[in-house]
Amino acid sequence: MARIRLSGERIRGELVRKIEELSGQNLLACNQCGKCSAGCPAAAVMDLLPNQVIRYAQFGLEEVLAANSIWVCAACQTCYARCPHGVDLPRVMEALRVIALEQQGDRLRPQELDPQKVAELPQLAVVGGFRKFTMMGG
Ligand code: SF4
Ligand code: SF4
């Protein structure tokens, strides 16, 4: 009987390829040790812990694009500093945000904001918000 051989590239899906391309990370470098999640200051309000985000990404599960974790992540770099395998998780989170924005559209719409309230915000918060929640900053 002929044996079917599949290359890793063919087994792994389009989403996995795109996440790795945008983030510059090898998702399979993660062995799910959990050190990232144990040190993440935002883990308590995430629906998927950082190591789970990586797990979903490793399998190319589209559900990861609906997780609040990718928006809650503050890019504080703690997980990256703790990772024994050098996985730059904040860059993976950023890649997931870019893909989610491409698929779902901007999460922040200027026309829906109260100009009065925007005027009261620190400029850094406004610029940071648009960079993170719209394709403008992508
Ligand atoms: S610390 Fe690194 S290897 Fe461990 S689960 Fe997190 S990303 Fe994976
Ligand atoms: S960069 Fe994001 S995922 Fe990593 S520790 Fe900070 S908040 Fe958590």
Side-chain angles (χ1 to χ4, degrees):
M1 185 192 298
R3 293 177 67 190
I4 299 172
R5 298 179 69 146
L6 291 175
S7 69
E9 202 54 42
R10 285 182 62 194
I11 293 169
R12 308 185 78 206
E14 176 64 19
L15 180 59
V16 176
R17 189 197 61 72
K18 195 159 185 189
I19 296 167
E20 291 193 332
E21 184 183 298
L22 288 173
S23 68
Q25 303 304 298
N26 171 15
L27 295 172
L28 291 182
C30 167
N31 69 349
Q32 290 292 301
C33 72
K35 283 185 72 124
C36 49
S37 300
C40 174
V45 289
M46 288 179 169
D47 48 9
L48 287 181
L49 293 171
N51 70 293
Q52 292 175 313
V53 168
I54 294 281
R55 196 56 157 171
Y56 275 55
Q58 286 174 330
F59 285 106
L61 298 176
E62 293 273 339
E63 290 88 336
V64 71
L65 300 173
N68 81 347
S69 311
I70 65 177
W71 307 104
V72 166
C73 169
C76 70
Q77 309 282 328
T78 305
C79 50
Y80 184 29
R82 290 170 60 89
C83 179
H85 298 288
V87 178
D88 192 336
L89 217 157
R91 291 193 67 179
V92 173
M93 293 286 199
E94 188 178 12
L96 291 167
R97 286 195 294 273
V98 168
I99 297 168
L101 287 170
E102 276 175 7
Q103 291 188 3
Q104 302 156 14
D106 291 346
R107 291 172 68 89
L108 192 61
R109 295 174 192 86
Q111 64 274 21
E112 292 171 9
L113 299 176
D114 179 344
Q116 189 83 34
K117 292 213 169 91
V118 173
E120 290 166 10
L121 291 170
Q123 200 176 11
L124 198 60
V126 177
V127 174
F130 278 99
R131 281 183 63 97
K132 185 170 181 177
F133 297 110
T134 72
M135 281 304 285
M136 237 183 271

